Amino acid sequence: MGAVIQRPRAIACFWLLLFVFVYKTEITVSASNYLVGLGSYDITGPAADVNMMGYANSGQTASGIHFRLRSRAFIVAEPQGNRVMFVNLDACMASQLVTIKVIERLKARYGDLYTEKNVAISGIHTHAGPGGYLQYVVYIVTSLGFVRQSFDALVDGIEQSIIRAHENLHPGSVYVNKGEILDAGANRSPSAYLNNPAAERAKYKFDVDKEMSLLKFVDDQWGPVGSFNWFATHGTSMSRTNELISGDNKGTAARLMEDWFNQKRDARTVNENPRRVSNIVQGAQDNHHEFLELAASFKPISGKPVTKYLSISRRVRSSLRTAERPSFVSAFCQSNCGDVSPNVLGAFCTDTGLPCDFNHSTCGGKNELCYGRGPGYPDEFESTRIIGERQFKKASELFTSASEKLNGKIDYRHTYLDFSQLEVTLPKQGGGSETVKTCPAAMGFAFAAGTTDGPGAFDFTQGDNTGNPFWKLVRNVLRTPSKEQKDCQQPKPILLDTGEMKIPYDWAPSILPIQILKIGQMVILSVPGEFTTMAGRRLRDAVSAVFKEKVHVVIAGLTNTYSQYVTTFEEYEMQRYEGASTLYGPHTLSAYIQEFKRLATAIVSGGTVEAGPQPPDLLNKQIGLLPGIVVDSTPLGVKFGDVKTDIPNNSTFKKGGIVTVVFWSACPRNDLMTEGTFALVEVLKGQDTWVPVYDDDDLCLRFKWSRPSKLSAQSHATIEWRIPLSAASGVYRVSHFGASKNLLGSISHFTGSSNAFVVK
């Protein structure tokens, strides 16, 4: 009888436990209310001959790599509903043509899952990446027109980063956190900022935004898998004379953040990174003589043919070694950086050392002598590292302490607008309203003056609201602006009437995209330009007021296409560089605020918005004048990859020292070494195993490429390794990977290695 009674009890207990298990499982699943996926891919592009995008300096052409550029993407999706994607590029800005072609590829691969409505593609605004990938004439003049290799590297890399993010989609959560960085940005046009109403300025402690907003992505299975943050500071720590491809301060911060997390994660499991551990060799400090003997047993490796995949497999952060888990992805995105410089020490005259003129940023009336100074002045690499490190440190703090979880619906709105003739309704003083219009694009005289981050040339100055008779004559050769256009753009004196210049094709955009992505209480405003500090504040406030619940609003600058600057009406009146580069006239910001409020209202009400006029696809009209590579050669008896200038035998270097090796090489445009490396430092493990420890994606290793003369078919690769203080003592060597082109046009890959040497 007892057994009979106990059996129903056991059955009841079983069902009770099963109910509790299922209930708890449902709680866990519901707690992870999103799917999250992140991905990253190489977009470095051609590291030779191509003009760099940003400073419009025709003499600044790529000649090597500081560290590699990447496309980083995140996707957040409701399991059975909406999804949004944000792509951050280590590039100067997004390109309308790149965005169009990426969306075409996504539609072919995924159907209507990812479209221009829910995909945002943004640039960090580095001025040290290859140019020639935008479709409008004014942005590709200095690059000798369209550069297909730059364009393809971006489109291919963006697509691959998105594929990785999509394949990594798993149940997970997103957290948001905010904090201030006080020493990573300074206002480079303070006289224009001061023209904003005093009452408005009094609401803010600083004349630039100091807040970083960060999203932390957590995978239910793998834990934290990445972070994206938005913070306003220009990508101009690297100067207008730099010729090494670089992600500047934001790319630096991303590299530091990803390495920081991976080293922290690896320390909890098996330490896989020999760069900062002493398990490569035991008793490192006592074995200097043994190290020298080991180094002496290895001779330099002469240039030899290899497969193109060797540099990929030898890359330090090769995805082949992390395929079992999602790679940690960290992106440092751009915001309203229009008037924000990373050169925080101020602007000084190069001839006298005195501060530049406050209103015009000139020295004795000349803008060419006025330069901003970064915190590592006069070393631009050090300034880049410091500003990047400051952003990284704040991001790592926010990442570690993030606790506010995003909850709620995912939504988005997107539209195209013709900014050449957009009607804007403005309130009038004393009541009522008036209707004004934006203008066809035009650039003012002060645009040619440049900024304290990169001064222009000739006799242009910031704050010029009259123009110069000589340059007006030059302008009129290209196009004379109409009276209507002059009146519309007042008080801007027009230097280039780009919106009405159509030969050989459009010089500037007129149709622009605007977009809102909403993930729970996080609202991302995708703007196709560089908003100044106060312009960004006005836009954020206007959109925040539309939403009924508390939201975190961030501006994602330089997104989906590029249309230069957006100032406030008051800043526009001052006609400094940013005002002169506000293409669509004094009411540009008001137009953005009006239209973004319309998108936000549609999200709140559940309404729709019109798609708007489609932007042009000008790919088939592009003209590219950059010469191709005819052939590579070496001196008689020398092979590609041979060492030209080696490290002396029996060399020992101290940590903090510099190792330099020169190889006979070939043009890097023959093979971009995408997801690979041109330069490698290896450490000896045991008696005969060389382990990759640093490559051309490390800040300490610089790959420099040069020709003996401009038309020479011969070239050299100089590899400089600044030995980190954290490097392990041991035996090292430097290797180079490249690809040469013969007269028949075929490509052959090669490698070579230096003498072995000791680091202690």
Side-chain angles (χ1 to χ4, degrees):
M1 182 73 176
V4 174
I5 294 172
Q6 289 175 1
R7 187 175 180 187
R9 285 179 179 171
I11 293 171
C13 287
F14 168 79
W15 285 109
L16 179 62
L17 289 170
L18 182 62
F19 172 79
V20 170
F21 173 77
V22 171
Y23 177 71
K24 285 189 174 181
T25 301
E26 287 177 349
I27 289 176
T28 303
V29 171
S30 65
S32 302
N33 48 343
Y34 301 129
L35 302 175
V36 298
L38 289 87
S40 174
Y41 202 79
D42 189 349
I43 56 168
T44 302
D49 301 330
V50 176
N51 182 246
M52 288 182 164
M53 183 62 199
Y55 288 115
N57 175 14
S58 60
Q60 186 191 16
T61 56
S63 302
I65 297 174
H66 178 207
F67 61 93
R68 287 191 168 260
L69 311 180
R70 299 196 71 78
S71 169
R72 297 174 171 92
F74 77 72
I75 301 169
V76 182
E78 297 168 348
Q80 302 298 325
N82 288 339
R83 61 183 58 201
V84 294
M85 177 197 300
F86 190 92
V87 183
N88 190 61
L89 306 178
D90 288 344
C92 194
M93 67 280 289
S95 154
Q96 196 164 72
L97 187 59
V98 167
T99 300
I100 288 170
K101 295 307 176 184
V102 168
I103 296 300
E104 285 180 2
R105 291 194 185 187
L106 294 180
K107 286 182 178 178
R109 183 180 290 272
Y110 299 112
D112 291 330
L113 202 57
Y114 304 111
T115 70
E116 66 274 6
K117 296 179 181 179
N118 65 345
V119 174
I121 301 175
S122 185
I124 63 170
H125 209 37
T126 174
H127 286 43
Y133 62 90
L134 288 90
Q135 69 171 350
Y136 297 104
V137 172
V138 76
Y139 306 127
I140 55 176
V141 170
T142 57
S143 61
L144 300 179
F146 190 68
V147 181
R148 186 66 192 234
Q149 203 171 31
S150 294
F151 174 80
D152 286 342
L154 278 168
V155 175
D156 294 344
I158 294 168
E159 181 187 26
Q160 289 302 315
S161 69
I162 291 170
I163 291 171
R164 291 182 176 189
H166 181 82
E167 292 176 347
N168 285 332
L169 276 171
H170 297 113
S173 303
V174 187
Y175 297 83
V176 62
N177 205 0
K178 294 183 176 182
E180 285 189 337
I181 311 175
L182 299 180
D183 52 2
N187 199 305
R188 69 186 188 187
S189 288
S191 61
Y193 180 87
L194 288 173
N195 206 44
N196 291 307
E200 182 180 35
R201 288 186 280 111
K203 296 183 344 188
Y204 303 98
K205 187 176 180 181
F206 303 105
D207 61 1
V208 297
D209 285 340
K210 302 286 188 178
E211 189 171 73
M212 172 181 281
S213 299
L214 177 138
L215 294 182
K216 175 181 180 178
F217 302 91
V218 181
D219 185 296
D220 280 0
Q221 177 183 0
W222 295 104
V225 289
S227 68
F228 275 56
N229 69 70
W230 290 263
F231 176 76
T233 194
H234 249 76
T236 49
S237 292
M238 301 296 285
S239 75
R240 68 193 299 274
T241 58
N242 162 63
E243 294 188 343
L244 298 186
I245 288 176
S246 175
D248 208 278
N249 58 70
K250 286 190 175 290
T252 296
R255 170 53 50 240
L256 294 173
M257 183 87 169
E258 290 174 349
D259 285 353
W260 165 77
F261 182 86
N262 289 330
Q263 288 157 21
K264 188 174 70 167
R265 179 182 60 190
D266 292 344
R268 293 195 298 265
T269 54
V270 177
N271 202 318
E272 301 171 359
N273 186 354
R275 299 191 288 178
R276 290 169 176 81
V277 293
S278 58
N279 63 350
I280 299 297
V281 284
Q282 300 298 322
Q285 297 303 318
D286 303 324
N287 291 346
H288 182 232
H289 181 70
E290 181 182 335
F291 286 162
L292 284 172
E293 288 185 346
L294 271 172
S297 67
F298 290 92
K299 303 302 179 186
I301 297 177
S302 299
K304 63 179 182 179
V306 294
T307 68
K308 70 172 295 180
Y309 302 105
L310 183 61
S311 91
I312 298 175
S313 66
R314 299 299 287 171
R315 178 173 165 263
V316 172
R317 298 168 187 82
S318 175
S319 59
L320 300 176
R321 287 195 281 277
T322 58
E324 75 281 2
R325 64 190 177 207
S327 296
F328 184 83
V329 177
S330 183
F332 286 69
C333 312
Q334 195 52 270
S335 192
N336 52 317
C337 68
D339 53 359
V340 188
S341 170
N343 297 311
V344 293
L345 298 186
F348 297 87
C349 298
T350 56
D351 56 344
T352 65
L354 297 174
C356 304
D357 174 79
F358 182 77
N359 289 315
H360 302 287
S361 297
T362 55
C363 300
K366 295 183 178 181
N367 69 78
E368 298 97 319
L369 302 177
C370 178
Y371 277 90
R373 294 180 181 177
Y377 174 82
D379 186 341
E380 62 188 296
F381 291 94
E382 184 65 5
S383 291
T384 300
R385 183 195 64 79
I386 292 171
I387 297 296
E389 192 171 78
R390 289 172 181 175
Q391 292 176 77
F392 152 64
K393 285 182 176 178
K394 178 53 64 176
S396 63
E397 291 172 13
L398 297 177
F399 179 84
T400 302
S401 62
S403 59
E404 181 184 343
K405 192 174 182 179
L406 296 186
N407 288 291
K409 289 180 60 178
I410 291 175
D411 212 341
Y412 50 85
R413 292 294 186 278
H414 174 284
T415 190
Y416 290 110
L417 301 165
D418 186 349
F419 263 79
S420 70
Q421 52 182 356
L422 194 60
E423 290 191 349
V424 185
T425 302
L426 299 177
K428 293 176 67 175
Q429 271 190 330
S433 62
E434 63 174 333
T435 300
V436 296
K437 271 188 167 186
T438 56
C439 323
M443 297 156 72
F445 273 67
F447 158 79
T451 72
T452 57
D453 291 335
F458 305 109
D459 53 354
F460 296 101
T461 59
Q462 295 196 66
D464 181 358
N465 58 11
T466 58
N468 175 298
F470 171 76
W471 289 111
K472 286 182 180 179
L473 287 173
V474 175
R475 170 201 68 190
N476 292 343
V477 172
L478 295 172
R479 179 180 174 84
T480 303
S482 65
K483 182 181 184 303
E484 182 183 10
Q485 172 73 322
K486 290 178 182 179
D487 291 342
C488 187
Q489 291 279 352
Q490 279 292 333
K492 178 197 292 178
I494 297 172
L495 176 63
L496 290 173
D497 191 18
T498 52
E500 299 181 312
M501 295 166 68
K502 307 293 183 182
I503 299 174
Y505 44 86
D506 293 1
W507 278 56
S510 58
I511 297 171
L512 303 178
I514 64 168
Q515 177 187 55
I516 297 180
L517 306 180
K518 186 174 185 292
I519 310 167
Q521 63 270 36
M522 184 73 175
V523 176
I524 302 171
L525 309 181
S526 301
V527 301
E530 304 174 59
F531 278 55
T532 61
T533 299
M534 195 63 86
R537 288 168 175 171
R538 291 184 189 177
L539 178 62
R540 285 199 306 263
D541 289 348
V543 172
S544 295
V546 174
F547 289 97
K548 296 173 183 177
E549 78 271 29
K550 180 186 176 184
V551 291
H552 304 282
V553 180
V554 298
I555 289 175
L558 306 114
T559 300
N560 293 329
T561 189
Y562 183 63
S563 59
Q564 293 174 247
Y565 285 74
V566 180
T567 65
T568 67
F569 181 88
E570 295 83 359
E571 291 166 348
Y572 185 90
E573 289 181 312
M574 299 298 290
Q575 280 300 295
R576 282 182 62 90
Y577 175 83
E578 294 81 15
S581 304
T582 297
L583 297 184
Y584 307 103
H587 303 297
T588 301
L589 175 60
S590 296
Y592 274 107
I593 290 173
Q594 171 183 283
E595 298 304 318
F596 266 104
K597 286 173 67 176
R598 186 165 63 89
L599 294 193
T601 301
I603 290 178
V604 170
S605 66
T608 60
V609 293
E610 294 180 1
Q614 289 294 308
D617 177 345
L618 302 176
L619 181 59
N620 292 333
K621 294 186 176 182
Q622 295 302 311
I623 299 169
L625 302 177
L626 180 69
I629 303 302
V630 178
V631 67
D632 295 288
S633 69
T634 58
L636 192 63
V638 174
K639 293 177 289 186
F640 291 107
D642 279 357
V643 178
K644 182 178 184 290
T645 306
D646 206 347
I647 300 158
N649 293 329
N650 303 316
S651 290
T652 298
F653 294 87
K654 291 183 178 180
K655 296 169 188 179
I658 300 177
V659 177
T660 303
V661 185
V662 182
F663 294 86
W664 287 101
S665 190
C667 185
R669 289 162 60 197
N670 293 325
D671 189 320
L672 306 182
M673 298 296 171
T674 301
E675 287 293 321
T677 182
F678 288 103
L680 190 67
V681 172
E682 300 167 293
V683 67
L684 185 64
K685 185 174 183 179
Q687 299 294 313
D688 57 4
T689 303
W690 290 101
V691 179
V693 283
Y694 299 97
D695 60 25
D696 67 13
D697 201 16
D698 279 290
L699 303 179
C700 64
L701 190 63
R702 299 177 193 171
F703 165 67
K704 300 180 178 181
W705 180 82
S706 62
R707 293 184 177 98
S709 61
K710 191 169 184 178
L711 298 178
S712 175
Q714 297 179 8
S715 63
H716 307 137
T718 301
I719 298 174
E720 294 178 357
W721 181 38
R722 284 155 175 78
I723 306 171
L725 298 178
S726 57
S729 298
V731 178
Y732 289 81
R733 72 179 183 187
V734 175
S735 297
H736 169 48
F737 297 92
S740 62
K741 184 177 184 179
N742 66 21
L743 282 170
L744 298 177
S746 63
I747 303 296
S748 301
H749 292 78
F750 61 85
T751 188
S753 298
S754 72
N755 264 324
F757 57 94
V758 174
V759 170
K760 71 170 185 176

